[in-house]
Amino acid sequence: MILKFKNIAATALLSFYIAGNAQTGENPIIKDEFLGDPAALVHKGKVYLYAGHDEAPNDFNFYKMNEWKVYSSSDLKTWDKHPVPLKASDFAWASGDAWASQVIEKNGKFYWYVTVSHKTIPGKSIGVAVSDSPIGPFKDALGKALITNDMTKKTTIDWDDIDPTVYIDDKGQGWLFWGNTVCYYAKLKNNMTELDSEIKTVDLPKFTEAPYIHKKNGWYYLSYATGFPEKIAYAMSKSLDGPWEYKGILNELAGNSNTNHQSIIEFKGKDYFIYHNGAIEPNGGSFRRSVAIEHLYYNKDGSIKPIIMTTKGIN
Ligand code: FUB
């Protein structure tokens, strides 16, 4: 009887510990599955966190990613998991690879720009899905890719068309930035599903991938993964067309992961840096990543203080 009580007490304590952990904001913020390439959307008092599902088995040393996941939170500590909102197979023209992505809202519709491999045009490509809700379900908005590898000629690699980041400026103009090795950008039409300009490039020191655009106090920020393994660097400008001024390293190598992929948001008056590392024990790593959140602080001149990666997170 005493033994039975002890077992029940131990189980209760364990459940409390696991549930408690999930709700403290400790990093990694989600511990029950591997997630990479976090992109956050602030909408109506909530943060929606979109990420690729890292499904690689422990002995598999590359990405195995078939679907994206979405979580939501009102406090960045307690996260609700929603049904799978989008899979690479939802794009009939794609052959797979649910790589980095970002969601943005315009006129009540949610547009999800994703990286996938193309079935017939060799290389990676960018597609766009749409939904009436931030948690989906999303469906292919175009029935074809928005960007394919044959549209960009600045490098011979076929994975340069990855990692879309999207931004709508104060005039309602949509902008898409993306790239690997070369940072590309173009304007989007009002429908958000067609390009509205030629494709241009941004010259950034040691640009690897993962561009991310955000704005604060009149400054545009273009943060990106630099080198490999990756750190996160950033540049600032008064215009999305540049010129961009390089400002240095924002985040150092993320623990146990050769990539670092960031998203930067302001939520309820505070600023946050969201990224991935390989910290889940025992099998976390570069292809089994997990999402972490830190506070982000600006200096008076608009530059950003280096991020301090922690286990305690935003507590
Ligand atoms: O998740 C696959 C790739 O890893 C992403 O597209 C890159 O940004 C890197 O995080």
Side-chain angles (χ1 to χ4, degrees):
M1 183 62 184
I2 289 175
L3 188 64
K4 196 174 168 197
F5 174 76
K6 270 190 181 164
N7 279 345
I8 291 169
T11 310
L13 196 64
L14 185 65
S15 322
F16 172 79
Y17 178 70
I18 292 169
N21 242 3
Q23 296 184 10
T24 61
E26 266 187 20
N27 288 326
I29 55 164
I30 292 152
K31 297 178 171 66
D32 66 342
E33 60 185 353
F34 295 116
L35 301 166
D37 307 321
L41 169 75
V42 177
H43 180 69
K44 291 191 176 166
K46 281 192 168 190
V47 172
Y48 294 87
L49 178 71
Y50 304 87
H53 186 194
D54 271 341
E55 299 168 74
N58 299 338
D59 57 351
F60 189 74
N61 282 327
F62 198 61
Y63 304 109
K64 186 165 187 269
M65 305 177 78
N66 298 306
E67 62 191 14
W68 295 271
K69 298 273 178 140
V70 59
Y71 287 78
S72 63
S73 176
S74 302
D75 59 7
L76 298 182
K77 293 178 181 173
T78 309
W79 290 93
D80 292 329
K81 183 178 183 169
H82 302 284
V84 172
L86 187 66
K87 297 178 173 180
S89 59
D90 292 333
F91 299 94
W93 47 268
S95 60
D97 298 325
W99 283 19
S101 69
Q102 190 182 347
V103 175
I104 199 165
E105 186 265 340
K106 180 165 182 174
N107 298 336
K109 291 212 178 290
F110 297 83
Y111 296 90
W112 196 339
Y113 297 82
V114 303
T115 310
V116 282
S117 290
H118 202 283
K119 249 182 206 165
T120 54
I121 302 170
K124 291 281 184 287
S125 51
I126 292 171
V128 52
V130 66
S131 174
D132 293 328
S133 157
I135 57 167
F138 284 79
K139 63 173 199 301
D140 186 357
L142 269 176
K144 62 178 184 174
L146 175 62
I147 307 284
T148 49
N149 183 47
D150 54 359
M151 292 165 66
T152 54
K153 308 277 186 197
K154 298 283 179 198
T155 164
T156 53
I157 62 170
D158 72 0
W159 62 93
D160 55 327
D161 298 292
I162 67 170
D163 294 5
T165 179
V166 59
Y167 189 84
I168 298 172
D169 69 19
D170 294 342
K171 292 181 183 151
Q173 174 67 58
W175 300 72
L176 188 71
F177 286 66
W178 72 98
N180 179 292
T181 314
V182 179
C183 182
Y184 299 107
Y185 74 103
K187 288 182 182 172
L188 290 166
K189 285 194 179 160
N190 200 32
N191 61 18
M192 299 297 278
T193 57
E194 285 173 89
L195 297 190
D196 199 20
S197 73
E198 59 178 318
I199 296 173
K200 297 186 196 171
T201 60
V202 191
D203 192 15
L204 294 163
K206 290 192 181 168
F207 174 81
T208 302
E209 59 186 6
Y212 186 85
I213 296 284
H214 79 279
K215 190 181 186 188
K216 177 92 177 178
N217 294 336
W219 284 104
Y220 288 105
Y221 295 81
L222 201 181
S223 52
Y224 62 96
T226 184
F228 200 84
E230 297 175 347
K231 298 175 182 179
I232 302 300
Y234 77 106
M236 290 168 65
S237 176
K238 286 286 180 184
S239 158
L240 284 169
D241 249 327
W244 292 94
E245 185 186 346
Y246 180 70
K247 301 299 284 185
I249 298 298
L250 179 57
N251 196 31
E252 300 292 337
L253 304 181
N256 205 27
S257 169
N258 55 24
T259 60
N260 195 321
H261 208 119
Q262 81 295 355
S263 176
I264 295 170
I265 56 165
E266 182 183 333
F267 181 58
K268 297 185 177 172
K270 290 186 175 169
D271 299 291
Y272 298 94
F273 183 85
I274 306 174
Y275 62 108
H276 66 223
N277 58 27
I280 288 186
E281 294 182 31
N283 295 314
S286 294
F287 309 109
R288 286 167 295 282
R289 299 164 292 183
S290 40
V291 177
I293 304 184
E294 312 292 357
H295 288 289
L296 179 145
Y297 300 103
Y298 294 89
N299 294 307
K300 281 193 180 142
D301 64 359
S303 58
I304 311 176
K305 294 185 195 295
I307 299 297
I308 299 171
M309 289 180 279
T310 63
T311 298
K312 83 177 172 61
I314 56 169
N315 288 296

